[in-house]
Amino acid sequence: MSAKREKILESKARKSQEELMGAVTLENITSDPRSQTVPTPSLRRLPLYLRLLRDYQAQGRTVVSCTQLASDLRFDPTQVRKDLALTKVGGRPKVGYPIAELIAAIEDFLGWRRTIEAVLVGVGSLGTALLGYNFSLYGLSIVGAFDSAPDKVGQVVHGREIMPIGYLTNFIRQRGIPMGILTVPASAAQSVAEMMVAGGVKAIWNFTSAALQLPDHVLVERADFSASLAVLTRALAHGARSLAPTIPKKEVT
Amino acid sequence: MSAKREKILESKARKSQEELMGAVTLENITSDPRSQTVPTPSLRRLPLYLRLLRDYQAQGRTVVSCTQLASDLRFDPTQVRKDLALTKVGGRPKVGYPIAELIAAIEDFLGWRRTIEAVLVGVGSLGTALLGYNFSLYGLSIVGAFDSAPDKVGQVVHGREIMPIGYLTNFIRQRGIPMGILTVPASAAQSVAEMMVAGGVKAIWNFTSAALQLPDHVLVERADFSASLAVLTRALAHGARSLAPTIPKKEVT
DNA sequence: GATAAATCGCGAATAATTTCTCTATTGGAG
DNA sequence: CTCCAATAGAGAAATTATTCGCGATTTATC
C-alpha cells in the first residue's frame, strides 16, 4: 500500500528532473524532440564519413559505395547506409553515392556550412590548443578568449587578445554569441558557465570534468577526456589478455 | 535465385571485416568479450560518478544516495544504480553508498589505481596541452614525447625532452609501453600508428580525425572533437527552437 | 539484348540499453 | 515497538540501436 506511493515518488523525482531543470546533455538523451529524431550515435559517426569522403575526393574519386566506407571504418555496411540515409542523398546501385553531394549534405546536416561564433574561457594549455585549432571546416569560429588571470589578460594567443572575464557576459550578449567553450579548471566551471548563460549562450562545449547545473534550455555537451580514457584503461587493465587475437569469451580449462 | 547468393556475399563481407582485420574501436563495438561484458555507455559514465564522489568526499560526506548522484548529473536514478552495481559495492537502503569505497572500486574498475605508461607523438598545440595535463588521477603517465620536426626535437616541453620519431618504435619496445597517444596531423596518423604497433603498443588513443587501419589486437579509441561538436552544431543549426523549455516527449492527455 | 555481379533501400529481427515496477531493507519518528 | 519515508536491488518492459534478409536497380560483360 505504502509501497505504491514509494514508486510514485521516485517516478516523480525522475520526471521533475527531466522536465523542470535538467540540462540537456545529449550524452544522456538519445532521442530528441527535434524535427526528425536523429540517433545520437549516428550523429557522432557522421564526421567520420565526412572526413573519409574528403579523402576520397582529394584522390579524384566522385562516387563511393557504402561497402567501401564501411570497410575503411570497420563498420557494418548496413549501418553506413542507415547513417547516410539521414542526409537524404541517394546512392545508385552498383555505383555508390556521389561524393561531392554527400559531403555537402553532411556538412549541411551538421550545420557546418554556416559559421557559428563561440567564445572560449580559460586560456590554459587546452584553451590555447583550441585557440590554435582551425575550426572553420567545422563551422565554428572562436571570436573571443577570456581568462581570469590578470597576467594573461591582454596577451595575444593565436591572434586573439585575451579579455578579462568580467567582460564575458556583455560580450556574449552584445554580439549574440550562441556558444561557449569551457576550458577552465573544474572548480571554476559552474560559475563561468552561469556567466555564459547570463549572456545568453544556447550551448556550452564543456571540456572540464565538472557536471554543470544549468537551466533546461542550455545544451551542454561534454568533451572531457575521461570517458574516452575509461574505455581504454579498463581494457588495458582488465582485459589485456583478451586483446590478444581470438581468445574465446571464457577460457576453458 | 541469384538473389540468394548476393546476400550471402554481403554477409560474408561483413563477417570477414570483423574477423580478419577489424581494428576494435569500441566506438563501434558495444559488447565485448572481456571477463564480464561491460556496457560501454556505463563505462563512459563511471568517470562522472567518480568526479562527483570526490567532490562529496571533499565536503566531508561519507555516504551518498544514487538519488543524489542522479539529480546532480540529471540521470535516471535507476541508471545510476545499474552503473554503480558494476563495481559490486552495495548501498544501504535509506542511507546510500559508502563514498570512499565506491571511489576505490570505480578507480579499480577503470584501472586508474595502477599507472599505465604511454608515449605521445606530435607535440603541436594539442600534444603540448596533453603533456601539460596531469593524468595521474587517471592512472596514466606520459613517459615519452616524440615529434618529426627537427626543430622541436631536443626541446623540453612540460618537463619532457622531445625525441625524434625515429626512436619511437624502439623506445616503446624496450620499455614495454602499452599505449600510444596520437596527436599528429591526420595525414601522418596512419604511419605513426603503425610505428607504435611495430613497437608493441596494445592501445592507441587517437586524437586525430583519421580512421586507422590496424591489426585486430590493437585497441583504438577515438578522441577527436568532431563527434562531440557534431551533436552541438546540429542542435544549434537545426534544432534551436526545440531547445525551448519543457516540451514533454509525449503530451499526456 | 540477356545475364551476372554489385549495391542500394526498406522492413523485419535481433541485440543492447534504458526505464519502469515491485519488493525488501533500513533508520528515524512517534 | 510500530509505523513511515527513503532507498537499494532485481527482474520485466519499453525503447533505441544495430544487424539481417530480401527484392529492386544499375552497370558491365558476353
Side-chain angles (χ1 to χ4, degrees), chain A residues 70-106:
Chain A
S71 139
D72 284 357
L73 290 165
R74 277 72 196 267
F75 288 171
D76 185 288
T78 308
Q79 182 168 69
V80 176
R81 256 178 246 150
K82 281 255 157 75
D83 289 343
L84 296 186
L86 291 172
T87 67
K88 316 282 197 201
V89 174
R92 295 231 309 275
K94 186 79 182 200
V95 175
Y97 297 86
I99 290 178
E101 249 186 89
L102 249 194
I103 289 176
I106 294 178

PDB file of all heavy atoms in Angstrom, chain A residues 70-106:
ATOM      1  N   ALA A  70      32.359   1.419 -45.254  1.00  0.00           N
ATOM      2  CA  ALA A  70      32.272   0.509 -44.122  1.00  0.00           C
ATOM      3  C   ALA A  70      33.588  -0.221 -43.907  1.00  0.00           C
ATOM      4  O   ALA A  70      34.057  -0.366 -42.777  1.00  0.00           O
ATOM      5  CB  ALA A  70      31.140  -0.491 -44.354  1.00  0.00           C
ATOM      6  N   SER A  71      34.188  -0.620 -44.996  1.00  0.00           N
ATOM      7  CA  SER A  71      35.423  -1.368 -44.849  1.00  0.00           C
ATOM      8  C   SER A  71      36.538  -0.473 -44.289  1.00  0.00           C
ATOM      9  O   SER A  71      37.332  -0.893 -43.457  1.00  0.00           O
ATOM     10  CB  SER A  71      35.783  -1.989 -46.191  1.00  0.00           C
ATOM     11  OG  SER A  71      37.152  -1.891 -46.445  1.00  0.00           O
ATOM     12  N   ASP A  72      36.577   0.758 -44.708  1.00  0.00           N
ATOM     13  CA  ASP A  72      37.610   1.667 -44.192  1.00  0.00           C
ATOM     14  C   ASP A  72      37.392   2.015 -42.724  1.00  0.00           C
ATOM     15  O   ASP A  72      38.341   2.291 -41.991  1.00  0.00           O
ATOM     16  CB  ASP A  72      37.648   2.958 -45.011  1.00  0.00           C
ATOM     17  CG  ASP A  72      38.328   2.747 -46.350  1.00  0.00           C
ATOM     18  OD1 ASP A  72      38.807   1.625 -46.599  1.00  0.00           O
ATOM     19  OD2 ASP A  72      38.382   3.697 -47.163  1.00  0.00           O
ATOM     20  N   LEU A  73      36.151   2.025 -42.315  1.00  0.00           N
ATOM     21  CA  LEU A  73      35.862   2.410 -40.932  1.00  0.00           C
ATOM     22  C   LEU A  73      35.603   1.208 -40.033  1.00  0.00           C
ATOM     23  O   LEU A  73      35.403   1.361 -38.836  1.00  0.00           O
ATOM     24  CB  LEU A  73      34.637   3.337 -40.896  1.00  0.00           C
ATOM     25  CG  LEU A  73      34.854   4.730 -41.481  1.00  0.00           C
ATOM     26  CD1 LEU A  73      33.527   5.427 -41.737  1.00  0.00           C
ATOM     27  CD2 LEU A  73      35.707   5.563 -40.531  1.00  0.00           C
ATOM     28  N   ARG A  74      35.584   0.044 -40.637  1.00  0.00           N
ATOM     29  CA  ARG A  74      35.249  -1.174 -39.892  1.00  0.00           C
ATOM     30  C   ARG A  74      33.863  -1.080 -39.279  1.00  0.00           C
ATOM     31  O   ARG A  74      33.657  -1.438 -38.119  1.00  0.00           O
ATOM     32  CB  ARG A  74      36.283  -1.445 -38.796  1.00  0.00           C
ATOM     33  CG  ARG A  74      37.509  -2.163 -39.282  1.00  0.00           C
ATOM     34  CD  ARG A  74      38.389  -1.267 -40.126  1.00  0.00           C
ATOM     35  NE  ARG A  74      39.370  -1.945 -40.923  1.00  0.00           N
ATOM     36  CZ  ARG A  74      40.628  -2.172 -40.525  1.00  0.00           C
ATOM     37  NH1 ARG A  74      41.013  -1.815 -39.362  1.00  0.00           N
ATOM     38  NH2 ARG A  74      41.467  -2.781 -41.312  1.00  0.00           N
ATOM     39  N   PHE A  75      32.958  -0.566 -40.071  1.00  0.00           N
ATOM     40  CA  PHE A  75      31.569  -0.542 -39.653  1.00  0.00           C
ATOM     41  C   PHE A  75      30.811  -1.577 -40.462  1.00  0.00           C
ATOM     42  O   PHE A  75      31.307  -2.108 -41.440  1.00  0.00           O
ATOM     43  CB  PHE A  75      30.928   0.828 -39.930  1.00  0.00           C
ATOM     44  CG  PHE A  75      31.403   1.931 -39.026  1.00  0.00           C
ATOM     45  CD1 PHE A  75      31.040   3.242 -39.298  1.00  0.00           C
ATOM     46  CD2 PHE A  75      32.192   1.679 -37.920  1.00  0.00           C
ATOM     47  CE1 PHE A  75      31.468   4.281 -38.474  1.00  0.00           C
ATOM     48  CE2 PHE A  75      32.625   2.699 -37.094  1.00  0.00           C
ATOM     49  CZ  PHE A  75      32.261   4.008 -37.381  1.00  0.00           C
ATOM     50  N   ASP A  76      29.583  -1.801 -40.064  1.00  0.00           N
ATOM     51  CA  ASP A  76      28.711  -2.640 -40.859  1.00  0.00           C
ATOM     52  C   ASP A  76      28.167  -1.813 -42.024  1.00  0.00           C
ATOM     53  O   ASP A  76      27.727  -0.685 -41.823  1.00  0.00           O
ATOM     54  CB  ASP A  76      27.560  -3.128 -39.973  1.00  0.00           C
ATOM     55  CG  ASP A  76      26.669  -4.106 -40.706  1.00  0.00           C
ATOM     56  OD1 ASP A  76      25.925  -3.663 -41.597  1.00  0.00           O
ATOM     57  OD2 ASP A  76      26.726  -5.289 -40.371  1.00  0.00           O
ATOM     58  N   PRO A  77      28.189  -2.374 -43.229  1.00  0.00           N
ATOM     59  CA  PRO A  77      27.720  -1.614 -44.397  1.00  0.00           C
ATOM     60  C   PRO A  77      26.288  -1.111 -44.231  1.00  0.00           C
ATOM     61  O   PRO A  77      25.949  -0.011 -44.664  1.00  0.00           O
ATOM     62  CB  PRO A  77      27.793  -2.621 -45.538  1.00  0.00           C
ATOM     63  CG  PRO A  77      28.731  -3.673 -45.088  1.00  0.00           C
ATOM     64  CD  PRO A  77      28.677  -3.712 -43.598  1.00  0.00           C
ATOM     65  N   THR A  78      25.471  -1.927 -43.592  1.00  0.00           N
ATOM     66  CA  THR A  78      24.083  -1.503 -43.389  1.00  0.00           C
ATOM     67  C   THR A  78      24.015  -0.261 -42.504  1.00  0.00           C
ATOM     68  O   THR A  78      23.203   0.633 -42.716  1.00  0.00           O
ATOM     69  CB  THR A  78      23.282  -2.634 -42.725  1.00  0.00           C
ATOM     70  OG1 THR A  78      23.468  -3.819 -43.473  1.00  0.00           O
ATOM     71  CG2 THR A  78      21.819  -2.278 -42.697  1.00  0.00           C
ATOM     72  N   GLN A  79      24.882  -0.246 -41.526  1.00  0.00           N
ATOM     73  CA  GLN A  79      24.885   0.905 -40.644  1.00  0.00           C
ATOM     74  C   GLN A  79      25.288   2.167 -41.405  1.00  0.00           C
ATOM     75  O   GLN A  79      24.691   3.222 -41.229  1.00  0.00           O
ATOM     76  CB  GLN A  79      25.874   0.670 -39.497  1.00  0.00           C
ATOM     77  CG  GLN A  79      25.906   1.796 -38.517  1.00  0.00           C
ATOM     78  CD  GLN A  79      26.665   1.400 -37.271  1.00  0.00           C
ATOM     79  OE1 GLN A  79      27.873   1.220 -37.287  1.00  0.00           O
ATOM     80  NE2 GLN A  79      25.952   1.231 -36.191  1.00  0.00           N
ATOM     81  N   VAL A  80      26.257   2.016 -42.255  1.00  0.00           N
ATOM     82  CA  VAL A  80      26.670   3.169 -43.054  1.00  0.00           C
ATOM     83  C   VAL A  80      25.499   3.648 -43.907  1.00  0.00           C
ATOM     84  O   VAL A  80      25.207   4.841 -43.974  1.00  0.00           O
ATOM     85  CB  VAL A  80      27.872   2.798 -43.940  1.00  0.00           C
ATOM     86  CG1 VAL A  80      28.237   3.961 -44.847  1.00  0.00           C
ATOM     87  CG2 VAL A  80      29.059   2.402 -43.081  1.00  0.00           C
ATOM     88  N   ARG A  81      24.818   2.705 -44.522  1.00  0.00           N
ATOM     89  CA  ARG A  81      23.668   3.090 -45.344  1.00  0.00           C
ATOM     90  C   ARG A  81      22.630   3.840 -44.520  1.00  0.00           C
ATOM     91  O   ARG A  81      22.092   4.866 -44.937  1.00  0.00           O
ATOM     92  CB  ARG A  81      23.025   1.845 -45.942  1.00  0.00           C
ATOM     93  CG  ARG A  81      23.350   1.641 -47.407  1.00  0.00           C
ATOM     94  CD  ARG A  81      22.721   0.356 -47.907  1.00  0.00           C
ATOM     95  NE  ARG A  81      23.745  -0.611 -48.260  1.00  0.00           N
ATOM     96  CZ  ARG A  81      23.596  -1.922 -48.184  1.00  0.00           C
ATOM     97  NH1 ARG A  81      22.457  -2.425 -47.762  1.00  0.00           N
ATOM     98  NH2 ARG A  81      24.569  -2.718 -48.520  1.00  0.00           N
ATOM     99  N   LYS A  82      22.331   3.306 -43.340  1.00  0.00           N
ATOM    100  CA  LYS A  82      21.343   3.953 -42.478  1.00  0.00           C
ATOM    101  C   LYS A  82      21.786   5.368 -42.112  1.00  0.00           C
ATOM    102  O   LYS A  82      21.004   6.307 -42.136  1.00  0.00           O
ATOM    103  CB  LYS A  82      21.130   3.128 -41.205  1.00  0.00           C
ATOM    104  CG  LYS A  82      20.237   1.927 -41.400  1.00  0.00           C
ATOM    105  CD  LYS A  82      18.844   2.152 -40.803  1.00  0.00           C
ATOM    106  CE  LYS A  82      17.800   1.263 -41.446  1.00  0.00           C
ATOM    107  NZ  LYS A  82      17.884  -0.130 -41.004  1.00  0.00           N
ATOM    108  N   ASP A  83      23.033   5.488 -41.763  1.00  0.00           N
ATOM    109  CA  ASP A  83      23.541   6.806 -41.370  1.00  0.00           C
ATOM    110  C   ASP A  83      23.457   7.788 -42.534  1.00  0.00           C
ATOM    111  O   ASP A  83      22.986   8.914 -42.381  1.00  0.00           O
ATOM    112  CB  ASP A  83      24.988   6.695 -40.877  1.00  0.00           C
ATOM    113  CG  ASP A  83      25.094   6.002 -39.524  1.00  0.00           C
ATOM    114  OD1 ASP A  83      24.069   5.898 -38.824  1.00  0.00           O
ATOM    115  OD2 ASP A  83      26.205   5.566 -39.165  1.00  0.00           O
ATOM    116  N   LEU A  84      23.901   7.332 -43.685  1.00  0.00           N
ATOM    117  CA  LEU A  84      23.903   8.228 -44.836  1.00  0.00           C
ATOM    118  C   LEU A  84      22.478   8.575 -45.266  1.00  0.00           C
ATOM    119  O   LEU A  84      22.236   9.644 -45.833  1.00  0.00           O
ATOM    120  CB  LEU A  84      24.667   7.602 -46.004  1.00  0.00           C
ATOM    121  CG  LEU A  84      26.158   7.355 -45.755  1.00  0.00           C
ATOM    122  CD1 LEU A  84      26.832   6.883 -47.029  1.00  0.00           C
ATOM    123  CD2 LEU A  84      26.850   8.607 -45.235  1.00  0.00           C
ATOM    124  N   ALA A  85      21.566   7.691 -44.981  1.00  0.00           N
ATOM    125  CA  ALA A  85      20.176   7.954 -45.342  1.00  0.00           C
ATOM    126  C   ALA A  85      19.661   9.214 -44.645  1.00  0.00           C
ATOM    127  O   ALA A  85      18.757   9.879 -45.141  1.00  0.00           O
ATOM    128  CB  ALA A  85      19.306   6.760 -44.989  1.00  0.00           C
ATOM    129  N   LEU A  86      20.253   9.540 -43.524  1.00  0.00           N
ATOM    130  CA  LEU A  86      19.849  10.753 -42.810  1.00  0.00           C
ATOM    131  C   LEU A  86      19.985  11.989 -43.684  1.00  0.00           C
ATOM    132  O   LEU A  86      19.243  12.952 -43.538  1.00  0.00           O
ATOM    133  CB  LEU A  86      20.713  10.943 -41.553  1.00  0.00           C
ATOM    134  CG  LEU A  86      20.518   9.947 -40.411  1.00  0.00           C
ATOM    135  CD1 LEU A  86      21.579  10.156 -39.349  1.00  0.00           C
ATOM    136  CD2 LEU A  86      19.130  10.122 -39.822  1.00  0.00           C
ATOM    137  N   THR A  87      20.942  11.947 -44.573  1.00  0.00           N
ATOM    138  CA  THR A  87      21.207  13.121 -45.408  1.00  0.00           C
ATOM    139  C   THR A  87      20.262  13.233 -46.591  1.00  0.00           C
ATOM    140  O   THR A  87      20.277  14.223 -47.298  1.00  0.00           O
ATOM    141  CB  THR A  87      22.632  13.063 -45.975  1.00  0.00           C
ATOM    142  OG1 THR A  87      22.708  11.980 -46.898  1.00  0.00           O
ATOM    143  CG2 THR A  87      23.643  12.859 -44.873  1.00  0.00           C
ATOM    144  N   LYS A  88      19.482  12.196 -46.825  1.00  0.00           N
ATOM    145  CA  LYS A  88      18.556  12.141 -47.968  1.00  0.00           C
ATOM    146  C   LYS A  88      19.260  12.037 -49.313  1.00  0.00           C
ATOM    147  O   LYS A  88      18.630  12.151 -50.354  1.00  0.00           O
ATOM    148  CB  LYS A  88      17.618  13.370 -48.024  1.00  0.00           C
ATOM    149  CG  LYS A  88      17.034  13.778 -46.706  1.00  0.00           C
ATOM    150  CD  LYS A  88      15.906  12.871 -46.325  1.00  0.00           C
ATOM    151  CE  LYS A  88      15.077  13.530 -45.225  1.00  0.00           C
ATOM    152  NZ  LYS A  88      14.296  12.541 -44.472  1.00  0.00           N
ATOM    153  N   VAL A  89      20.558  11.877 -49.287  1.00  0.00           N
ATOM    154  CA  VAL A  89      21.255  11.686 -50.549  1.00  0.00           C
ATOM    155  C   VAL A  89      21.160  10.223 -50.921  1.00  0.00           C
ATOM    156  O   VAL A  89      21.509   9.359 -50.128  1.00  0.00           O
ATOM    157  CB  VAL A  89      22.736  12.094 -50.436  1.00  0.00           C
ATOM    158  CG1 VAL A  89      23.484  11.755 -51.712  1.00  0.00           C
ATOM    159  CG2 VAL A  89      22.842  13.575 -50.123  1.00  0.00           C
ATOM    160  N   GLY A  90      20.675   9.963 -52.099  1.00  0.00           N
ATOM    161  CA  GLY A  90      20.507   8.575 -52.511  1.00  0.00           C
ATOM    162  C   GLY A  90      21.738   8.046 -53.226  1.00  0.00           C
ATOM    163  O   GLY A  90      22.499   8.805 -53.831  1.00  0.00           O
ATOM    164  N   GLY A  91      21.924   6.755 -53.141  1.00  0.00           N
ATOM    165  CA  GLY A  91      23.019   6.141 -53.861  1.00  0.00           C
ATOM    166  C   GLY A  91      22.495   5.383 -55.065  1.00  0.00           C
ATOM    167  O   GLY A  91      21.309   5.084 -55.130  1.00  0.00           O
ATOM    168  N   ARG A  92      23.362   5.082 -55.973  1.00  0.00           N
ATOM    169  CA  ARG A  92      22.942   4.290 -57.124  1.00  0.00           C
ATOM    170  C   ARG A  92      23.483   2.885 -56.974  1.00  0.00           C
ATOM    171  O   ARG A  92      24.666   2.695 -56.713  1.00  0.00           O
ATOM    172  CB  ARG A  92      23.491   4.896 -58.424  1.00  0.00           C
ATOM    173  CG  ARG A  92      22.929   6.269 -58.745  1.00  0.00           C
ATOM    174  CD  ARG A  92      22.372   6.361 -60.177  1.00  0.00           C
ATOM    175  NE  ARG A  92      23.281   5.912 -61.200  1.00  0.00           N
ATOM    176  CZ  ARG A  92      24.222   6.676 -61.760  1.00  0.00           C
ATOM    177  NH1 ARG A  92      24.392   7.921 -61.354  1.00  0.00           N
ATOM    178  NH2 ARG A  92      24.998   6.202 -62.699  1.00  0.00           N
ATOM    179  N   PRO A  93      22.625   1.902 -57.162  1.00  0.00           N
ATOM    180  CA  PRO A  93      23.093   0.520 -57.091  1.00  0.00           C
ATOM    181  C   PRO A  93      24.260   0.311 -58.033  1.00  0.00           C
ATOM    182  O   PRO A  93      24.301   0.926 -59.114  1.00  0.00           O
ATOM    183  CB  PRO A  93      21.882  -0.290 -57.526  1.00  0.00           C
ATOM    184  CG  PRO A  93      20.705   0.573 -57.233  1.00  0.00           C
ATOM    185  CD  PRO A  93      21.181   1.980 -57.416  1.00  0.00           C
ATOM    186  N   LYS A  94      25.142  -0.483 -57.610  1.00  0.00           N
ATOM    187  CA  LYS A  94      26.314  -0.865 -58.408  1.00  0.00           C
ATOM    188  C   LYS A  94      27.330   0.274 -58.549  1.00  0.00           C
ATOM    189  O   LYS A  94      28.404   0.101 -59.087  1.00  0.00           O
ATOM    190  CB  LYS A  94      25.842  -1.331 -59.799  1.00  0.00           C
ATOM    191  CG  LYS A  94      26.905  -1.881 -60.699  1.00  0.00           C
ATOM    192  CD  LYS A  94      27.236  -3.301 -60.317  1.00  0.00           C
ATOM    193  CE  LYS A  94      28.351  -3.789 -61.238  1.00  0.00           C
ATOM    194  NZ  LYS A  94      28.418  -5.236 -61.286  1.00  0.00           N
ATOM    195  N   VAL A  95      26.986   1.447 -58.043  1.00  0.00           N
ATOM    196  CA  VAL A  95      27.881   2.593 -58.200  1.00  0.00           C
ATOM    197  C   VAL A  95      28.256   3.172 -56.841  1.00  0.00           C
ATOM    198  O   VAL A  95      29.432   3.251 -56.477  1.00  0.00           O
ATOM    199  CB  VAL A  95      27.201   3.700 -59.038  1.00  0.00           C
ATOM    200  CG1 VAL A  95      28.086   4.928 -59.094  1.00  0.00           C
ATOM    201  CG2 VAL A  95      26.900   3.170 -60.423  1.00  0.00           C
ATOM    202  N   GLY A  96      27.247   3.557 -56.097  1.00  0.00           N
ATOM    203  CA  GLY A  96      27.519   4.153 -54.801  1.00  0.00           C
ATOM    204  C   GLY A  96      26.920   5.541 -54.687  1.00  0.00           C
ATOM    205  O   GLY A  96      25.975   5.878 -55.407  1.00  0.00           O
ATOM    206  N   TYR A  97      27.479   6.310 -53.783  1.00  0.00           N
ATOM    207  CA  TYR A  97      26.955   7.645 -53.520  1.00  0.00           C
ATOM    208  C   TYR A  97      27.852   8.686 -54.179  1.00  0.00           C
ATOM    209  O   TYR A  97      29.075   8.521 -54.236  1.00  0.00           O
ATOM    210  CB  TYR A  97      26.926   7.902 -52.010  1.00  0.00           C
ATOM    211  CG  TYR A  97      26.005   6.987 -51.248  1.00  0.00           C
ATOM    212  CD1 TYR A  97      26.435   5.744 -50.807  1.00  0.00           C
ATOM    213  CD2 TYR A  97      24.702   7.373 -50.962  1.00  0.00           C
ATOM    214  CE1 TYR A  97      25.589   4.903 -50.105  1.00  0.00           C
ATOM    215  CE2 TYR A  97      23.851   6.535 -50.257  1.00  0.00           C
ATOM    216  CZ  TYR A  97      24.303   5.304 -49.827  1.00  0.00           C
ATOM    217  OH  TYR A  97      23.458   4.476 -49.140  1.00  0.00           O
ATOM    218  N   PRO A  98      27.249   9.772 -54.632  1.00  0.00           N
ATOM    219  CA  PRO A  98      28.040  10.862 -55.204  1.00  0.00           C
ATOM    220  C   PRO A  98      28.758  11.608 -54.074  1.00  0.00           C
ATOM    221  O   PRO A  98      28.120  12.133 -53.161  1.00  0.00           O
ATOM    222  CB  PRO A  98      26.989  11.748 -55.864  1.00  0.00           C
ATOM    223  CG  PRO A  98      25.715  11.443 -55.156  1.00  0.00           C
ATOM    224  CD  PRO A  98      25.807  10.035 -54.668  1.00  0.00           C
ATOM    225  N   ILE A  99      30.059  11.624 -54.151  1.00  0.00           N
ATOM    226  CA  ILE A  99      30.852  12.122 -53.034  1.00  0.00           C
ATOM    227  C   ILE A  99      30.604  13.602 -52.753  1.00  0.00           C
ATOM    228  O   ILE A  99      30.355  14.002 -51.608  1.00  0.00           O
ATOM    229  CB  ILE A  99      32.353  11.870 -53.293  1.00  0.00           C
ATOM    230  CG1 ILE A  99      32.622  10.364 -53.212  1.00  0.00           C
ATOM    231  CG2 ILE A  99      33.222  12.613 -52.290  1.00  0.00           C
ATOM    232  CD1 ILE A  99      34.044   9.964 -53.501  1.00  0.00           C
ATOM    233  N   ALA A 100      30.651  14.405 -53.787  1.00  0.00           N
ATOM    234  CA  ALA A 100      30.509  15.846 -53.569  1.00  0.00           C
ATOM    235  C   ALA A 100      29.164  16.169 -52.918  1.00  0.00           C
ATOM    236  O   ALA A 100      29.087  16.948 -51.959  1.00  0.00           O
ATOM    237  CB  ALA A 100      30.654  16.591 -54.896  1.00  0.00           C
ATOM    238  N   GLU A 101      28.131  15.515 -53.441  1.00  0.00           N
ATOM    239  CA  GLU A 101      26.802  15.748 -52.882  1.00  0.00           C
ATOM    240  C   GLU A 101      26.722  15.329 -51.428  1.00  0.00           C
ATOM    241  O   GLU A 101      26.160  16.032 -50.586  1.00  0.00           O
ATOM    242  CB  GLU A 101      25.778  14.924 -53.673  1.00  0.00           C
ATOM    243  CG  GLU A 101      24.818  15.725 -54.523  1.00  0.00           C
ATOM    244  CD  GLU A 101      23.784  14.783 -55.124  1.00  0.00           C
ATOM    245  OE1 GLU A 101      22.748  14.554 -54.472  1.00  0.00           O
ATOM    246  OE2 GLU A 101      24.029  14.262 -56.240  1.00  0.00           O
ATOM    247  N   LEU A 102      27.292  14.178 -51.163  1.00  0.00           N
ATOM    248  CA  LEU A 102      27.250  13.669 -49.791  1.00  0.00           C
ATOM    249  C   LEU A 102      27.976  14.602 -48.841  1.00  0.00           C
ATOM    250  O   LEU A 102      27.498  14.904 -47.749  1.00  0.00           O
ATOM    251  CB  LEU A 102      27.910  12.296 -49.727  1.00  0.00           C
ATOM    252  CG  LEU A 102      27.043  11.087 -49.470  1.00  0.00           C
ATOM    253  CD1 LEU A 102      27.917   9.906 -49.094  1.00  0.00           C
ATOM    254  CD2 LEU A 102      26.019  11.335 -48.368  1.00  0.00           C
ATOM    255  N   ILE A 103      29.121  15.068 -49.260  1.00  0.00           N
ATOM    256  CA  ILE A 103      29.888  15.984 -48.414  1.00  0.00           C
ATOM    257  C   ILE A 103      29.043  17.210 -48.086  1.00  0.00           C
ATOM    258  O   ILE A 103      28.892  17.594 -46.923  1.00  0.00           O
ATOM    259  CB  ILE A 103      31.201  16.403 -49.106  1.00  0.00           C
ATOM    260  CG1 ILE A 103      32.170  15.217 -49.144  1.00  0.00           C
ATOM    261  CG2 ILE A 103      31.834  17.587 -48.393  1.00  0.00           C
ATOM    262  CD1 ILE A 103      33.462  15.495 -49.891  1.00  0.00           C
ATOM    263  N   ALA A 104      28.468  17.770 -49.123  1.00  0.00           N
ATOM    264  CA  ALA A 104      27.648  18.968 -48.909  1.00  0.00           C
ATOM    265  C   ALA A 104      26.477  18.661 -47.981  1.00  0.00           C
ATOM    266  O   ALA A 104      26.159  19.430 -47.069  1.00  0.00           O
ATOM    267  CB  ALA A 104      27.144  19.498 -50.250  1.00  0.00           C
ATOM    268  N   ALA A 105      25.867  17.498 -48.195  1.00  0.00           N
ATOM    269  CA  ALA A 105      24.683  17.170 -47.409  1.00  0.00           C
ATOM    270  C   ALA A 105      25.033  16.923 -45.941  1.00  0.00           C
ATOM    271  O   ALA A 105      24.298  17.339 -45.044  1.00  0.00           O
ATOM    272  CB  ALA A 105      23.994  15.946 -48.003  1.00  0.00           C
ATOM    273  N   ILE A 106      26.148  16.268 -45.720  1.00  0.00           N
ATOM    274  CA  ILE A 106      26.543  16.027 -44.328  1.00  0.00           C
ATOM    275  C   ILE A 106      26.900  17.346 -43.654  1.00  0.00           C
ATOM    276  O   ILE A 106      26.476  17.626 -42.529  1.00  0.00           O
ATOM    277  CB  ILE A 106      27.722  15.042 -44.241  1.00  0.00           C
ATOM    278  CG1 ILE A 106      27.296  13.662 -44.737  1.00  0.00           C
ATOM    279  CG2 ILE A 106      28.236  14.941 -42.802  1.00  0.00           C
ATOM    280  CD1 ILE A 106      28.411  12.631 -44.734  1.00  0.00           C
TER     281      ILE A 106
END
